[in-house]
Amino acid sequence: MPPSERLRDHVGQGATTVAAHRTRRRLRADRARQLADLLRRQLLTDAFPDGALPHEDALAAEYDATRNTVRQALDLLRAEGLVTRQPGVGTVLATRKYPHGLDRLMGLAETLHEHGRVTNEVRATVPVPAPAPVAERLRVPPGADVLYIERLRRLNGVPLSLDHTYLPLDTGTALLGADLENNDVFHLLESVTGTPLGHAEINLEAVSADAHSAAVLETPRGAAVLMLERLTHLADGRPVDLEFIRFRGDRIAMSGLLHRSA
Amino acid sequence: MPPSERLRDHVGQGATTVAAHRTRRRLRADRARQLADLLRRQLLTDAFPDGALPHEDALAAEYDATRNTVRQALDLLRAEGLVTRQPGVGTVLATRKYPHGLDRLMGLAETLHEHGRVTNEVRATVPVPAPAPVAERLRVPPGADVLYIERLRRLNGVPLSLDHTYLPLDTGTALLGADLENNDVFHLLESVTGTPLGHAEINLEAVSADAHSAAVLETPRGAAVLMLERLTHLADGRPVDLEFIRFRGDRIAMSGLLHRSA
């Protein structure tokens, strides 16, 4: 008996006809989501090296699922923008998702170096008076100028993230003449200060892309965005870099290792 | 000169009229997003303890922005479901966002204990034949039964996450009689095995809620979801718990500390 049937039996016992119908529909949706989650994982770990997923029948057999469930699961992945379905070809990878390390404080070019070349389109570099929450975190007087940098970051030409960066003016000014198009700010900060970075407080959220971010990132309006807020300190404790980074949800995943003991 | 003007001057120099117009529109959108990011941070850190944001004029003055920019920023936060705007009252917090620790391996009830009570609606507990990617990660023979658990998790009655969990049957069976409604699986696993958890491989992604997950989580279809895949091992190295967790993007943020040196 396939697991969908077993699950149905298990949950549906004693249910009325209408309730049983609802339960079946729910379980089909659950099964599709379960399968989509397993396939998402396979896609992320390059389990389909030529980018083509097995045929629906093969997936149905492998995952002990109905063809309907397989189709629903593939529809979910398509809605996420991960795969496209081509007539006569089948289901193929639409976009690769790259793993951004969560275990160590790293810049984008650094964490993705084995996947290709990161380039940055610098959309703005301009001193602005620090708004109170920026001033407080960068430990500068409120209203004092900080350097604001806005970059669209690409991997091998493909948009990955839109970054808003605030730097205190003392270190920031030294970055004005630097090659921001081809370097991580982390790398430049360590170069100009002669001090290694120490730690960063990070905050990760899932948000929907507003119309404007979506246009810049070349993704549909409302698409899921992985939003990283990060306050980075030099090894001597000085806060030097406050960033608000919008990663395209279909192109970046964060991966790391957590330990139980503190 | 307000920073929006300065930014405009900086970028707009030498632009044609049409290009200048486009640039101005772009910069207004950029400014709104910048402000929304700062306010999102304030919301997350409870900077408005009574849940009411300052009046638009006050925000405009504080952030040196136009009222138009303030309105656009508030619209972005409203689109995310973080605030609502009430006539005569102003902008108020719609939902609290809770920080889930990223520094230590913790269950939901554990990480949120100071914010209230986590309860779990157990939607399914059923043995299923392990699909290949599950079998491989849990180190059981492909097709061997594993325990599948599906839970809707709430904090103080409010839906936070939809969790799919796969457990090897040896430890899983011991959980069948346990109080899954009021306990983290982590806590139960440590109890029944008598072994502390060791580490977990995690993967974090932003995805859009499919229709069915959205309905279960009581959030709009397509809403941003923070998706956590987590394979947890006992301290002796045995993998014991593979989870696919969908957190509502408007209710959970992940926060932690990263270090530069490995």
Side-chain angles (χ1 to χ4, degrees), chain A residues 68-196:
Chain A
N68 241 346
T69 298
V70 170
R71 267 195 217 110
Q72 275 187 34
L74 294 176
D75 279 344
L76 291 178
L77 296 176
R78 189 168 48 170
E80 285 182 33
L82 294 183
V83 301
T84 56
R85 306 186 68 180
Q86 296 174 1
V89 179
T91 306
V92 296
L93 195 62
T95 180
R96 260 215 65 183
K97 213 163 190 170
Y98 298 93
H100 190 305
L102 256 185
D103 291 323
R104 226 192 110 216
L105 181 58
M106 277 186 297
L108 192 68
E110 205 177 350
T111 195
L112 296 179
H113 74 275
E114 62 192 63
H115 299 291
R117 198 167 111 86
V118 169
T119 51
N120 309 306
E121 180 186 320
V122 181
R123 293 163 46 87
T125 51
V126 58
V128 296
V134 173
E136 188 193 330
R137 304 197 77 200
L138 289 179
R139 292 188 214 146
V140 301
D145 271 356
V146 290
L147 185 67
Y148 173 72
I149 303 177
E150 187 170 316
R151 293 169 300 160
L152 172 62
R153 315 197 67 182
R154 295 187 172 93
L155 177 69
N156 303 326
V158 172
L160 282 196
S161 72
L162 177 60
D163 298 19
H164 295 185
T165 304
Y166 298 88
L167 306 168
L169 219 50
D170 52 353
T171 43
T173 306
L175 261 64
L176 277 176
D179 181 6
L180 280 164
E181 287 184 14
N182 294 292
N183 286 290
D184 286 344
V185 162
F186 279 2
H187 172 72
L188 296 173
L189 282 173
E190 292 187 322
S191 295
V192 302
T193 63
T195 311

Side-chain angles (χ1 to χ4, degrees), chain B residues 76-240:
Chain B
L76 291 177
L77 297 175
R78 188 168 51 170
E80 284 181 35
L82 294 183
V83 301
T84 56
R85 305 186 68 179
Q86 295 174 1
V89 179
T91 306
V92 297
L93 196 61
T95 179
R96 258 216 67 181
K97 212 163 190 170
Y98 298 93
H100 189 305
L102 255 186
D103 291 323
R104 228 191 109 216
L105 181 58
M106 277 185 298
L108 192 68
E110 205 176 348
T111 195
L112 296 180
H113 73 276
E114 62 192 62
H115 299 290
R117 200 167 109 87
V118 169
T119 52
N120 310 305
E121 179 185 321
V122 181
R123 294 163 46 86
T125 51
V126 58
V128 296
V134 173
E136 190 194 328
R137 305 197 76 200
L138 289 179
R139 291 187 215 148
V140 301
D145 271 356
V146 290
L147 185 69
Y148 172 73
I149 303 177
E150 188 170 316
R151 294 169 299 161
L152 172 63
R153 315 197 67 183
R154 294 188 173 92
L155 176 69
N156 303 327
V158 172
L160 281 195
S161 72
L162 177 60
D163 298 20
H164 295 186
T165 304
Y166 299 88
L167 306 169
L169 219 50
D170 52 352
T171 42
T173 307
L175 261 64
L176 278 176
D179 180 6
L180 280 164
E181 287 183 15
N182 294 294
N183 287 290
D184 286 343
V185 164
F186 279 2
H187 172 71
L188 297 173
L189 282 173
E190 292 187 323
S191 295
V192 302
T193 63
T195 312
L197 298 178
H199 71 279
E201 295 144 31
I202 67 161
N203 197 66
L204 267 171
E205 296 171 70
V207 304
S208 294
D210 60 279
H212 186 258
S213 306
V216 175
L217 287 166
E218 297 172 23
T219 195
R221 182 176 182 160
V225 160
L226 195 58
M227 167 109 193
L228 172 63
E229 197 215 86
R230 182 174 62 193
L231 176 64
T232 302
H233 303 254
L234 291 177
D236 62 18
R238 256 185 303 162
V240 283

Side-chain angles (χ1 to χ4, degrees), chain A residues 224-255:
Chain A
V225 160
L226 194 58
M227 169 111 191
L228 173 62
E229 196 215 87
R230 183 173 63 193
L231 176 65
T232 302
H233 303 253
L234 290 177
D236 62 18
R238 256 185 302 161
V240 283
D241 177 10
L242 176 61
E243 304 206 32
F244 297 86
I245 305 174
R246 281 172 166 78
F247 290 106
R248 274 183 57 157
D250 57 346
R251 299 223 166 119
I252 283 284
M254 299 271 160
S255 61

Side-chain angles (χ1 to χ4, degrees), chain A residues 7 30 33-34 41 97 102 104-105 126 148 198 200 202 204-205 212 229 246 254 256 258-260, chain B residues 7 30 33-34 41 97 102 104-105 126 148 198 200 202 204-205 212 229 254 256 258-260:
Chain A
L7 195 51
D30 287 354
R33 200 170 52 231
Q34 288 160 32
R41 162 85 198 173
K97 213 163 190 170
L102 256 185
R104 226 192 110 216
L105 181 58
V126 58
Y148 173 72
I202 67 162
L204 267 169
E205 297 171 69
H212 186 258
E229 196 215 87
R246 281 172 166 78
M254 299 271 160
L258 297 186
H259 294 273
R260 181 67 168 161
Chain B
L7 195 52
D30 286 352
R33 200 169 54 231
Q34 288 160 31
R41 162 85 199 175
K97 212 163 190 170
L102 255 186
R104 228 191 109 216
L105 181 58
V126 58
Y148 172 73
I202 67 161
L204 267 171
E205 296 171 70
H212 186 258
E229 197 215 86
M254 299 272 160
L258 297 187
H259 294 272
R260 181 67 168 162

